[in-house]
Amino acid sequence: MITTLRKLAVAALLLAAAPLSAQYYYLPSTTNGNPGGINTDSEYPVGGGLATSWTTISTAPAATPAWSTTQTIPFTFQFNGSAVTQFKVSTSGILTFDVNATTAPGYTKAALPDASIPDNSVCIWGLASVGTNDLIVTKTFGTAPNRQQWVMFSSYGQVGSTCWTYWSIVLEESTNKIYLVDQRNACTGSTLSLGIQVNSTTAYSVAGSPSVAIQASTDATAADNKYYEFIPGVQLANNFIGNEVTVDDFLVLGQAPFTMTAEFLNGGSNAITSATLNYRVNGGTPVSGTVSTLNVAPAATASLTHPQAWTPTAVGTYTVDFWTSNPNGQADSDPSNDTVTKQVVVVNSIAVRRPLIEVFSSSTCAPCAPANTTFKNLMDAQTAGDYNYIKYQMSWPGTGDPYYTLEAAAKRQLYGVNSVPNAQIDGGWNGHAGQITQPILNGFKAVPSFMDLNGYYTIDATAQNVSMVINTTPLVTTSKTLSLQVAIYEKSTTQNVKSNGETVFYQVMKKMVPDQNGTTLTNLTDGVMQATNLSYTFNGSYTLPANAGSPVDHAVAHTVEDFNDLGVMVWIQDMATKEIYQSVDLTQSGIGMGETGLASVRLFPNPANDLVRVDLRQVSGDCTYRLVNNLGQTVAAGAAQGGTELTLNVAQWTSGLYFVQIESEGSTQTLPLQVVR
């Protein structure tokens, strides 16, 4: 099968008796973000983070649907071929240019056209002003002649639900386009009726209406936004629009040849049944092939597979251009939007990914208790080291968790988390922490990583200090600027019990090191290890904040219940995209943990690549040794004689961190050993 349709959420238009003088067609957005990219404001409630430059035009709540005050459009705008100057908006999600309309449409959505909708209206029908935060706000973005008028349903609800969602209707100057923007959402399974109604017999609806699913996550930025673009005029006949090259970011040279794929949107009025697919690498000679088994409906998206695979000759970074031509054997009606480009990195090897799950929870959150139980049971069923997780205690509901910290708040803001229990997997999955399944985990683990990450930490409980050695080994040379995120966590806590019935809390973050911004990693070169040494000393003595309203001040106090119960979680993250490339739960070294009697044991050379000597000359009596890898697995063991040197051959060992444990007469010493190839 040359092509596979990935979704039909946006198929044929619904149009009834459209006039010849004016009409619309719509296209779904092909990438995430806001139309035109000129609205960069965060999506927060009025008074709760939304920029103060927005104007509130409708207050909440409204048990019965109601119209806003009449608003003036700040630029010339045409709807269905006629100039309009004013609009008003209902609390049921309807914007109308008929400002003389009296009765606002009800909260129960229906297919368009519908007699309850005024003529000349734009619909996000199914929204409802049911909570005190459910406000309609408006703002003008951009400069003439390219302005946009945004009308946002901020933190809106739906009848019968306590969830919240953010949507906007956007009017665009000069183009006269109308956008319906899906921005932010915490409503599970909610659907809407989306489209334009000209009159009681003529409407243009998004396919699936009145049951179009909401796609946005809880992210408060535009990173997850989708939109529907309603365009005035006659739709082009044959128009394949490039969305993205879908070849993997990183490819292993030894696994060539590679299938070349890309995603395209049918932006034309004709179904596309054949096309010529083309790609070139680093500006070289195009590789062309014709496929004739397509069936891509108007406004549908398809994944296209080129009939000829690609075999690179060496590792490196390659620029791949992919485009189509001759849809249905005809010239493309708009060839300017055919080509998509991507950089692909070919490497010699990849690392197995250890996904990181970041859980947002609170001891005052009733649903968090069963979610945490379900989640922990899932984690306990995994092989040690396959997956890692950490928890951030939050400041709501109610008074929040006493172990809430400002660094945890920064993590919440990074992901736009506004409800608990919540989980983020590798910065690319957002959802209910109790709804993570094994297939979801497996899907993330199956994604290869171009980073190897290991290290160890030591604890000095008396000094309240945690020291860390972290080794980052890129498996590809990249210009990416990444962040090394480090979190000291407590394996279990009991003093933060509140109202939800939980008595033990696991993997609770206590301190980010140095803070939530992490340590910047640059100049990443294939095979060149970067060692990062970090240390943090907890100040003052233990304190239990009364609630999240007065979180611990790390400058003078801490919330660590048992210093010998601390762990260190480390991950590498692209802070721009939020993607996490690798994680590791550091191995604890015995150094500094009260081991006595064998302080004179030494390793040399360290790092080593063939032979390593263990200096036992200051040790008396018989000894045993054990070598452990960074997953806690014993890879070698045996007996040794004090007063001598023990030689170990590590030439066949893989690169990474190991621990050499020497025991003699009841005393033990553990030393880290770095093997480098």
Side-chain angles (χ1 to χ4, degrees), residues 112-158:
L112 303 177
D114 186 273
S116 69
I117 304 294
D119 292 349
N120 304 325
S121 294
V122 184
C123 305
I124 307 177
W125 201 7
L127 299 178
S129 178
V130 294
T132 56
N133 286 336
D134 300 3
L135 304 177
I136 303 175
V137 295
T138 184
K139 182 178 178 179
T140 305
F141 291 89
T143 57
N146 301 303
R147 288 170 289 182
Q148 292 178 346
Q149 188 66 27
W150 281 67
V151 178
M152 180 166 68
F153 299 88
S154 173
S155 190
Y156 243 61
Q158 292 189 304

Side-chain angles (χ1 to χ4, degrees), residues 195-336:
I196 290 174
Q197 180 160 318
V198 175
N199 54 45
S200 61
T201 61
T202 304
Y204 308 86
S205 296
V206 172
S209 292
S211 300
V212 179
I214 302 176
Q215 301 180 64
S217 71
T218 59
D219 193 328
T221 73
D224 65 335
N225 290 7
K226 297 286 190 180
Y227 58 87
Y228 303 94
E229 177 183 3
F230 284 82
I231 306 166
V234 178
Q235 190 171 14
L236 299 175
N238 301 297
N239 184 23
F240 242 164
I241 301 173
N243 184 358
E244 63 175 334
V245 177
T246 52
V247 179
D248 289 343
D249 292 354
F250 298 91
L251 304 172
V252 180
L253 183 62
Q255 297 176 358
F258 303 113
T259 301
M260 305 300 285
T261 59
E263 184 179 271
F264 281 78
L265 169 72
N266 182 2
S269 59
N270 294 335
I272 296 177
T273 59
S274 66
T276 300
L277 310 185
N278 316 275
Y279 74 85
R280 63 175 170 237
V281 179
N282 287 348
T285 302
V287 181
S288 299
T290 299
V291 293
S292 57
T293 56
L294 305 179
N295 185 21
V296 189
T301 301
S303 178
L304 306 182
T305 300
H306 199 285
Q308 185 170 335
W310 171 50
T311 302
T313 58
V315 299
T317 300
Y318 296 85
T319 299
V320 176
D321 301 316
F322 199 117
W323 70 99
T324 62
S325 54
N326 303 316
N328 295 329
Q330 306 293 318
D332 195 297
S333 302
D334 183 8
S336 67

Side-chain angles (χ1 to χ4, degrees), residues 32-41 43 150 181-183 222 225 227:
N32 289 356
N34 287 332
I38 61 175
N39 175 5
T40 60
D41 286 359
E43 301 145 1
W150 281 67
V181 188
D182 181 355
Q183 297 174 273
N225 290 7
Y227 58 87

Side-chain angles (χ1 to χ4, degrees), residues 598 616 619-625 638-644 662-667:
L598 298 178
L616 303 174
V619 178
S620 60
D622 295 334
C623 305
T624 61
Y625 71 89
Q641 179 62 51
T644 65
I662 305 294
E663 184 175 355
S664 177
E665 298 179 348
S667 298

Side-chain angles (χ1 to χ4, degrees), residues 100 122 188 195 291 652 666:
N100 295 317
V122 184
T188 303
V291 293
Q652 303 304 313

